[in-house]
Amino acid sequence: MIQCWRLDDARQTLVLGVRDKQLAEAIYWGPRLPDSENLETLYAIHGIDVAGGMLDQHPELSICPAATRTFQGQPGMALRDTAGKPLLPKLAFESVEAKTDALSLTYTDKYIGLTYRAHFAIDPDTHLISMSAELESEHPINLQWLAAPVLPAPQLSDEMIDFAGRWCSEFQMNRTPWSAGMRTRDNRTGRTGHEHFPGLIVPCRGTTNTQGAAYGFHYGWSGGHKMVAEELPDGRRQIQFGNASDTELTPLTHFKTAPLFATYSGTGLNGCATAFQRHLRDRVVTWPHPDRPRPVHYNCWEAIYFDHKIPELQEIATRAASLGAERFVLDDGWFGKRDDDTTSLGDWFIDTRKYPDGLTPLIDHIHGLGMTFGIWFEPEMINPDSDTYRAHPNWALGDEDQILGRHQKVLNMALPAVRDYLFDRIAKVLTDYDIDYVKWDHNRVLPTPDADQTRGTYALLDRLRTAFPQVEVESCASGGGRIDFGIMEHTQRVWLSDSNDALERLKIQHNAALFLPQCVTGSHVGPRVCHTSGRILDIRFRAWVAAQRHMGFEMDPRELTDDEADVLRRVTGWWKDNRDWMRRADILRLDAADPAVLAEQHLHQDQFVVFAGKADTSTQIAPRPLRLTELDANATYRVDLANRDELTRKALSRGQSPLKTNAIKVSGQYLMHHGITLPWSFPETMWVIEGHKI
C-alpha cells in the first residue's frame, strides 16, 4: 500500500511517500505542483533502475535512512544501549497526523521499545519548511547521532555552498564540488562558532544571486551541529543536519533535534535569503517593543576598553547623542575588579572603585540626553581569578587543568545552582537600574561539547526575559561566534563580527544576508584606525557600511574632526529617516558585472535602496552597469543618488552622467535588464541609490 502527503506554499511543494510501512521518503521537492497531481504516480516513478553489481532493490533514502535496510550512506541515527551495544531499530509506520500546513509521522520498533516521530510544517508567508525529529525509548539509551528529517539534494547541481570563517572574518562562503562520498562538518566547539555557521545552500547549475534554482538549509541550534552532504554510490544525494555528534553525555529516554529550516527558491540565492530573513524577523524573534523604531546604538568598548571614568563616559555620551545615538551600552569593565581580561568574570557586582555611587550618575546623565541605557554581561564564563570561582570551583565545566581561553573557564550551565546564581546577580542589576538592553557575550569555546550547556543557557535567557520582558538582548560571542535561529528565539540582535573594519564588514554583511535580516544585524561605525586590522578608512565609507544594517557607533566620538562629525550626523539622519521601511525590507544580493563591487538592494513594496560598495580596484577603467532585481518591469521608478555630495571628492569622475546632477526616471525593466551605470569611484567607497515607484 502506498501513502503520500504533500505540503505546499505559493512557490514550492514537498511530497513524502511510503510503501508497506517503511520510513517515508521525500519523493519531490521543488516548484509548486498542480493540485491535481497524482502523488501515487509520483511515488511509483520516483524509483531508479537496478543494474549489475547492485542490490536487487535500492534502500530507501528516507527521512531517517536506516542501517538495517543495507543503506550504504550515513544513517539517520546511531544509538547504543547502556552497556554500549549498538541498537539497530527496524521502524515501522504507526500513525500520521496531517493538517494543511503540517505533518507528523510516527514509527515504532516494539521489540526495542523505541518510537520515532518526524515533524514538518510549512509557512505559507515566509516559505520556510521547519522539520524536527524526536525519539522516545522505554529504557534509557545513549544517543550518538540523530538527524532532523533528511531531504535529498538535487541532481542538477555541481556544487554546494557552506560557511566557514574565523574571529573578525565570519561568514566566508565555501564552494565545494559534489563528488562521490561525503562532506561532513562536525562542529565540536560547543557553540555555533565563527568557523561553522550551520547553513547550506545547494544551487542548481547556472544559479546566481538573482536567477536559477537553489535549496537552502539552516539548523537552528547554538551548541554545535553536524552537517552531512553525501553522494551515494548510486548517485543519489542526501542532506543531514543535527546536533554535533556525541554531545548527549548521559543515557536518556527522550531526545529531540533542533528545527531544520529549509526552502526551495526559483529566484536564485535571493529566494533562499528572503525566506530566511522573513522567517527570522517575523516568526523566530520576539520583540520587547515591536512598534518602537530600532534605536541608533552607541557602544563604548573601542573608546575606553577597561578604563572606566564617569566624567569621560558622560562626555562621550554627550558627544554620541549629538551625533544621533539613541542607546548607550556600557561594555566590559564595570564589575568586580575588572581592569583587564584576566579577572572577575562571575563577580557581577558593581565596581565601587570606578562607580562609588553605583551606575546611577552615569545612567541619569544618559537618560538626560534622551538615550536609553544598556549593559554588557558574559554570564556563561568565569575567571579563575574571581571570588565566585574561589567559592565554587566545581561550577566550572571541564577538567581543572584545561587550556584557558581569554583567561577564563566556562560555567556549567546544566547546574541549577549556576543558573540560579546568574539569574539573581543579573536580575539584581536589571532591577536596581533602568536598563533596557543587555549585550550577552561568550568569548571562548567549550572545553568539551555538551548539549545540556546550550539548553541551560536557553533556560536562563527565558527566565530573565520572563522577569524583564522590556529588556532587549544581543547575542555576541567574540562577534559572530553564536549566530543561529536557536539563540535568536531568546534574543533580538546579533553582533555580526568584532571587526569594525568597514571593508571586512562589507563582505561579512553581504554573505550573512543570505540568512539574516537588517533589523537584527548590528553594524557600527568604528574608529578612524581599526583596532583589529590597523586599516584607516574614510568616515563616509565606514558610515554607509554601518547604515546597511542596524546602525551604531563604536569609537571615541571625540576623535572626529568637524567634517567627520558632519558626515556621521548626516548619514545617521538618513538612516533614521529610512529605518522603518528598511526594517521590513528584503535584502537582495545583486549580480555585479564588476567583481570589485559588492552590491545589495533593500526592497520593500514600492521603494528600494541600493548599496554599491567598491571593495577593490576595478580591472576595467569605466564603471559597468549594475542590474537591479525584483522590480515591477512595467512601472517607472524615480532613481537618485543619496550621497551625491560625495562626488566633489572624486576628481577623476569627469563624465556627464545625469545622476551626477539629477534624479532619473526609468522603467523597472530597464533597471533589471540593462542596469544603472554609476559614476566612477575609488576603491573603499560606496554609492547609495534610492528608488521609488511612481
Side-chain angles (χ1 to χ4, degrees):
M1 181 181 70
I2 296 175
Q3 291 178 282
C4 294
W5 306 274
R6 64 184 287 171
L7 293 170
D8 301 278
D9 62 27
R11 79 180 190 189
Q12 68 184 326
T13 296
L14 173 65
V15 181
L16 299 172
V18 60
R19 183 198 295 272
D20 300 331
K21 293 194 172 185
Q22 296 296 337
L23 283 156
E25 301 176 76
I27 61 173
Y28 176 85
W29 182 26
R32 174 158 182 151
L33 295 173
D35 293 341
S36 59
E37 193 79 57
N38 187 309
L39 302 186
E40 291 191 11
T41 299
L42 296 188
Y43 186 89
I45 64 177
H46 171 69
I48 56 177
D49 202 356
V50 175
M54 303 177 71
L55 295 171
D56 296 337
Q57 178 183 333
H58 289 287
E60 298 84 4
L61 202 172
S62 70
I63 56 175
C64 187
T68 55
R69 297 290 290 171
T70 326
F71 186 72
Q72 298 178 49
Q74 168 75 38
M77 66 174 74
L79 314 172
R80 292 182 181 270
D81 65 18
T82 52
K85 181 182 177 181
L87 297 175
L88 299 173
K90 295 182 179 179
L91 296 168
F93 179 78
E94 183 76 18
S95 63
V96 60
E97 182 180 351
K99 301 178 181 178
T100 301
D101 297 327
L103 177 71
S104 292
L105 300 172
T106 300
Y107 296 83
T108 59
D109 181 326
K110 298 187 184 301
Y111 178 77
I112 293 179
L114 193 70
T115 299
Y116 169 86
R117 292 187 179 89
H119 306 286
F120 302 82
I122 193 167
D123 191 304
D125 297 319
T126 66
H127 306 299
L128 272 195
I129 304 169
S130 58
M131 299 165 282
S132 63
E134 61 179 324
L135 287 176
E136 291 182 3
S137 175
E138 295 176 4
H139 312 284
I141 58 175
N142 292 299
L143 176 69
Q144 293 176 273
W145 169 243
L146 177 62
V150 176
L151 293 177
Q155 296 287 302
L156 196 65
S157 172
D158 297 322
E159 64 181 4
M160 65 191 84
I161 302 170
D162 58 14
F163 300 83
R166 58 171 174 80
W167 179 67
C168 285
S169 186
E170 296 85 344
F171 283 93
Q172 302 302 307
M173 292 174 67
N174 293 321
R175 294 180 178 266
T176 305
W178 281 101
S179 61
M182 185 189 303
R183 175 164 173 77
T184 304
R185 302 192 67 169
D186 200 359
N187 171 17
R188 305 190 56 74
T189 66
R191 64 180 185 182
T192 321
H194 304 86
E195 310 85 357
H196 301 286
F197 177 75
L200 175 71
I201 295 177
V202 183
C204 292
R205 191 171 299 157
T207 294
T208 70
N209 287 320
T210 61
Q211 60 187 2
Y215 295 80
F217 303 83
H218 172 69
Y219 190 64
W221 174 247
S222 309
H225 74 284
K226 180 178 178 179
M227 179 200 85
V228 174
E230 182 177 21
E231 183 171 301
L232 302 173
D234 57 32
R236 293 178 297 172
R237 295 165 172 174
Q238 65 162 335
I239 304 295
Q240 295 190 14
F241 275 92
N243 291 10
S245 57
D246 295 304
T247 53
E248 298 291 354
L249 304 185
T250 58
L252 297 171
T253 58
H254 182 263
F255 302 94
K256 187 174 183 179
T257 70
L260 173 62
F261 300 97
T263 189
Y264 163 79
S265 165
T267 54
L269 304 188
N270 283 338
C272 297
T274 56
F276 288 124
Q277 291 170 24
R278 294 174 186 178
H279 198 85
L280 179 58
R281 181 191 65 214
D282 299 338
R283 300 290 187 267
V284 176
V285 174
T286 53
W287 304 94
H289 308 283
D291 298 326
R292 188 171 76 178
R294 302 297 283 145
V296 176
H297 199 94
Y298 177 76
N299 184 291
C300 70
W301 174 243
E302 294 192 34
I304 62 164
Y305 299 102
F306 297 103
D307 187 17
H308 289 223
K309 296 183 177 68
I310 291 177
E312 284 198 17
L313 285 166
Q314 291 173 331
E315 183 184 1
I316 288 169
T318 300
R319 180 70 162 155
S322 75
L323 296 168
E326 298 164 309
R327 172 192 284 153
F328 183 100
V329 178
L330 186 68
D331 212 286
D332 193 357
W334 55 267
F335 56 93
K337 296 180 176 62
R338 183 79 164 171
D339 297 327
D340 56 37
D341 64 4
T342 66
T343 182
S344 297
L345 282 179
D347 297 343
W348 300 111
F349 299 85
I350 307 296
D351 185 348
T352 55
R353 301 172 306 156
K354 300 175 183 178
Y355 298 95
D357 298 313
L359 299 177
T360 299
L362 177 61
I363 294 175
D364 285 349
H365 179 80
I366 287 165
H367 286 168
L369 296 168
M371 291 193 289
T372 59
F373 182 79
I375 196 166
W376 181 95
F377 286 94
E378 193 173 2
E380 297 148 273
M381 302 295 159
I382 191 165
N383 287 122
D385 182 11
S386 66
D387 293 340
T388 304
Y389 183 83
R390 285 183 280 271
H392 303 283
N394 58 309
W395 282 3
L397 188 69
D399 296 336
E400 183 178 348
D401 62 349
Q402 66 185 263
I403 297 172
L404 300 184
R406 204 178 183 234
H407 310 286
Q408 62 198 47
K409 293 185 176 183
V410 182
L411 285 169
N412 186 347
M413 298 298 290
L415 298 177
V418 169
R419 297 198 301 271
D420 288 345
Y421 168 77
L422 291 173
F423 176 84
D424 290 344
R425 293 312 316 148
I426 297 170
K428 170 72 170 160
V429 176
L430 298 183
T431 299
D432 288 351
Y433 300 104
D434 187 358
I435 295 171
D436 82 338
Y437 189 86
V438 167
K439 179 180 177 181
W440 186 293
D441 216 337
H442 187 289
N443 276 309
R444 65 154 289 176
V445 300
L446 269 61
T448 179
D450 183 349
D452 282 341
Q453 182 77 8
T454 303
R455 288 190 283 262
T457 298
Y458 288 171
L460 176 59
L461 280 163
D462 285 344
R463 187 177 173 188
L464 285 165
R465 290 196 60 204
T466 299
F468 303 95
Q470 80 284 0
V471 175
E472 181 176 329
V473 182
E474 172 189 295
S475 174
C476 175
S478 299
R482 187 161 62 183
I483 296 175
D484 59 81
F485 285 23
I487 198 68
M488 292 305 296
E489 286 189 30
H490 313 277
T491 60
Q492 293 82 26
R493 191 180 195 255
V494 296
W495 183 227
L496 187 59
S497 177
D498 273 348
S499 175
N500 274 328
D501 182 316
L503 188 60
E504 295 296 330
R505 273 276 177 163
L506 183 69
K507 302 168 188 175
I508 296 169
Q509 291 175 180
H510 191 64
N511 292 342
L514 289 166
F515 298 92
L516 303 179
Q518 181 260 11
C519 54
V520 307
T521 309
S523 187
H524 298 172
V525 184
R528 188 180 299 116
V529 180
C530 177
H531 82 142
T532 58
S533 69
R535 190 179 278 127
I536 299 173
L537 295 166
D538 186 88
I539 187 64
R540 292 159 181 81
F541 187 54
R542 285 184 277 147
W544 284 118
V545 169
Q548 290 180 282
R549 299 297 185 267
H550 182 196
M551 187 176 187
F553 321 143
E554 189 161 350
M555 91 290 266
D556 188 338
R558 297 170 299 180
E559 78 168 17
L560 298 173
T561 66
D562 290 345
D563 175 64
E564 289 174 327
D566 288 344
V567 169
L568 185 52
R569 195 174 291 113
R570 187 165 61 251
V571 175
T572 303
W574 179 93
W575 190 84
K576 288 181 177 180
D577 290 343
N578 290 277
R579 62 183 163 187
D580 289 339
W581 75 264
M582 286 177 65
R583 178 177 182 172
R584 308 296 307 173
D586 294 329
I587 304 174
L588 304 169
R589 290 161 40 113
L590 298 178
D591 295 323
D594 183 351
V597 173
L598 289 178
E600 61 185 37
Q601 175 184 327
H602 296 221
L603 175 66
H604 179 62
Q605 296 179 348
D606 294 338
Q607 67 185 120
F608 65 81
V609 60
V610 171
F611 296 93
K614 196 165 183 182
D616 205 344
T617 303
S618 299
T619 56
Q620 80 287 345
I621 193 167
R624 291 174 172 162
L626 178 64
R627 286 183 173 186
L628 308 191
T629 190
E630 295 293 320
L631 302 179
D632 182 344
N634 297 316
T636 300
Y637 289 83
R638 184 182 185 275
V639 179
D640 204 0
L641 274 178
N643 56 338
R644 182 177 288 114
D645 60 292
E646 296 177 21
L647 277 164
T648 58
R649 304 177 63 254
K650 298 176 174 59
L652 294 180
S653 176
R654 300 182 295 157
Q656 301 301 314
S657 169
L659 267 178
K660 287 187 174 184
T661 54
N662 297 293
I664 59 173
K665 296 179 181 179
V666 291
S667 69
Q669 186 73 279
Y670 179 88
L671 292 170
M672 291 188 292
H673 179 72
H674 180 274
I676 184 169
T677 303
L678 297 167
W680 187 92
S681 60
F682 288 116
E684 300 169 3
T685 56
M686 175 94 74
W687 286 126
V688 182
I689 307 103
E690 296 177 297
H692 296 81
K693 188 176 178 180
I694 57 177

